[in-house]
Amino acid sequence: MTTDKKYQSWLNDISGNLPLIIAGPCSAETESQVLETAQGVKKAGAHIFRAGIWKPRTRPGNFEGVGAIGLKWLQKAKKQTGLLMAVEVANPHHVELALQHDIDIFWIGARTSVNPFAVQEIADALKGLDKIVWVKNPINPDLALWMGALERIEKAGIEKLGAIHRGFSSYKKMIYRNEPLWQIPIDLKTKFPNLPLINDPSHISGKRELVFDVAQTAIQLMFDGLMIETHINPEKAWSDAKQQITPDVLNDFLKKLVIPNQRVFSPALLESLQVLRKDIDNIDAEIVQLFKQRQDKTEQIAGLKFKENIAIYQKERWLDILQKAIRNSQQNNVNQKFIEQIFKLMHQESLKIQHRIFSEKEQAKK
Ligand code: PEP
Ligand code: MN
């Protein structure tokens, strides 16, 4: 995939300089739920209406989507509100039905983007169409797999592309339903700077109380838009009831959202940024130099310990180092937890170096 600007033209056409807002229910449930939610999110300022028609559920027996009839409700919602309509497609049959019902945007879900066979089949069904297509990150944290899915769609001739970050599955106990691992979408943006990047705070959070903070973080990180699950009666939703918000709450969220002046960097600001960034680069270079000096001292200490047959790990010394570092962090107003982590890493590295020196000297004796 190239870094061509053509991938983002659709985004500017729809939302201009502001974050793109996609809102709507996890699932289309009834005609009135679809129409009322669409009117609500339109009023709140959304650009695009989303609704799941076919739902990939983790366990069988849960609500699996209303199917093709829901597409008729979306057509009606489009007529009433003028909003663009977006649905998840998981196979060529979904693509065909969505096309028949005038759907504007197709997205590939997280359980489909993991599977290159499935993605390729969808790409073949989309071949040459003038539609907007988004690819959600695969459920496992694999940047190459996400890129691969985007590339398959791009190779099918789709130019209006986008990526959606919805977090990653984890067996860890955590506050989120899906771990954000922000570095992965940031890496994607670095590789494809002109590919629009949308955040889905609803599937990351899993709980409506957390949705706003995740959305705000994404906007601070320069994401181009948000996909927020919205339902007229979230508690009674047939899927993802815990994470959906009402159109009124969406309205408050969008008013509260702080949007950085991302695309209007003045020359003066740019210059100040450049000066500060140069300073940071110099400091970083010094930090590495200091690590090198520390490493030299560690090697000398290892030599002495080996000669006198003293154990590498000296608990008292380590506690003393850590205590000094903590005191120092408090006096200098640097985050104590951060300093503790750095020192623990440094100590581990020091033990590793000493073990290396010991085994080198052991070898030399033989
Ligand atoms: C959804 O958007 O409702 C959905 C099923 O999301 P994901 O593919 O991210 O799990
Ligand atoms: Mn959902």
Side-chain angles (χ1 to χ4, degrees):
M1 208 156 91
T2 65
T3 51
D4 208 308
K5 284 216 184 313
K6 66 186 176 195
Y7 300 119
Q8 52 175 203
S9 61
W10 66 268
L11 178 72
N12 296 331
D13 291 347
I14 299 174
S15 63
N17 231 3
L18 291 170
L20 178 79
I21 304 298
I22 305 137
C26 178
S27 303
E29 298 165 3
T30 64
E31 182 172 323
S32 61
Q33 171 248 10
V34 166
L35 297 178
E36 278 176 49
T37 311
Q39 276 148 11
V41 305
K42 163 95 182 177
K43 232 169 81 192
H47 306 99
I48 297 170
F49 185 73
R50 65 145 282 156
I53 298 294
W54 304 278
K55 299 306 297 179
R57 305 315 300 274
T58 305
R59 311 276 307 268
N62 290 325
F63 171 60
E64 296 196 328
V66 289
I69 184 148
L71 295 168
K72 297 217 183 306
W73 308 335
L74 294 193
Q75 271 183 312
K76 212 163 175 177
K78 182 172 170 173
K79 218 176 255 164
Q80 285 187 4
T81 62
L83 289 170
L84 295 170
M85 296 288 134
V87 299
E88 174 177 350
V89 291
N91 60 45
H93 184 55
H94 294 165
V95 172
E96 193 186 321
L97 286 168
L99 281 172
Q100 283 167 15
H101 291 84
D102 210 15
I103 296 298
D104 306 283
I105 300 161
F106 303 70
W107 86 80
I108 297 179
R111 286 165 193 77
T112 309
S113 64
V114 284
N115 182 346
F117 289 128
V119 174
Q120 191 57 53
E121 281 188 5
I122 297 170
D124 293 342
L126 291 167
K127 208 170 182 70
L129 290 175
D130 183 29
K131 292 280 179 186
I132 299 170
V133 180
W134 301 326
V135 180
K136 282 195 164 194
N137 66 257
I139 46 179
N140 53 321
D142 186 336
L143 176 61
L145 197 56
W146 195 5
M147 284 166 51
L150 284 156
E151 283 161 345
R152 284 176 198 278
I153 304 299
E154 189 253 357
K155 278 190 191 313
I158 304 290
E159 290 189 350
K160 300 175 180 169
L161 269 179
I164 304 179
H165 166 235
R166 49 78 78 199
F168 303 88
S169 251
S170 171
Y171 202 54
K172 265 195 294 200
K173 229 181 145 45
M174 54 180 179
I175 56 164
Y176 297 117
R177 176 178 175 194
N178 290 294
E179 202 172 6
L181 302 177
W182 294 102
Q183 192 58 45
I184 295 179
I186 290 170
D187 287 347
L188 182 74
K189 192 77 177 168
T190 308
K191 287 194 190 290
F192 304 141
N194 293 312
L195 176 73
L197 184 59
I198 296 157
N199 177 256
D200 172 347
S202 308
H203 287 90
I204 290 176
S205 308
K207 304 174 197 68
R208 54 186 138 268
E209 306 81 72
L210 299 179
V211 171
F212 181 78
D213 282 351
V214 174
Q216 182 64 77
T217 302
I219 293 301
Q220 295 293 1
L221 289 172
M222 304 301 188
F223 275 65
D224 299 292
L226 299 168
M227 179 188 257
I228 302 181
E229 283 192 341
T230 311
H231 190 291
I232 39 162
N233 191 357
E235 288 85 8
K236 295 271 158 61
W238 299 358
S239 59
D240 288 350
K242 289 201 189 101
Q243 72 196 31
Q244 303 201 59
I245 59 171
T246 63
D248 283 347
V249 171
L250 177 71
N251 188 51
D252 294 345
F253 271 22
L254 297 182
K255 284 215 178 90
K256 230 172 45 174
L257 205 62
V258 177
I259 301 164
N261 257 345
Q262 41 192 339
R263 292 169 187 102
V264 271
F265 279 168
S266 69
L269 172 66
L270 221 51
E271 206 181 301
S272 314
L273 272 180
Q274 262 164 1
V275 170
L276 288 169
R277 283 176 174 160
K278 193 96 210 101
D279 290 347
I280 295 249
D281 287 349
N282 288 335
I283 294 169
D284 289 350
E286 269 178 50
I287 290 175
V288 175
Q289 280 306 315
L290 289 172
F291 279 138
K292 168 69 181 139
Q293 287 175 27
R294 196 180 198 282
Q295 181 177 321
D296 292 346
K297 299 291 169 202
T298 304
E299 286 173 1
Q300 288 174 29
I301 286 179
L304 290 177
K305 282 183 185 164
F306 183 81
K307 216 154 103 199
E308 300 296 328
N309 199 17
I310 295 173
I312 288 177
Y313 177 53
Q314 299 285 331
K315 189 172 160 204
E316 302 308 319
R317 172 64 181 147
W318 162 234
L319 292 178
D320 181 45
I321 288 177
L322 192 59
Q323 256 168 20
K324 281 188 184 127
I326 290 173
R327 218 176 308 128
N328 216 340
S329 71
Q330 290 163 345
Q331 282 162 2
N332 287 288
N333 205 11
V334 179
N335 183 325
Q336 184 182 322
K337 278 264 162 316
F338 167 68
I339 292 295
E340 279 178 37
Q341 279 176 351
I342 296 273
F343 272 72
K344 279 181 187 157
L345 271 177
M346 233 163 52
H347 185 242
Q348 276 168 25
E349 181 63 18
S350 161
L351 295 179
K352 233 189 267 167
I353 292 168
Q354 295 185 62
H355 276 295
R356 174 176 52 79
I357 300 279
F358 266 53
S359 61
E360 280 167 12
K361 291 197 179 292
E362 218 52 87
Q363 287 294 327
K365 268 201 333 203
K366 279 179 196 159

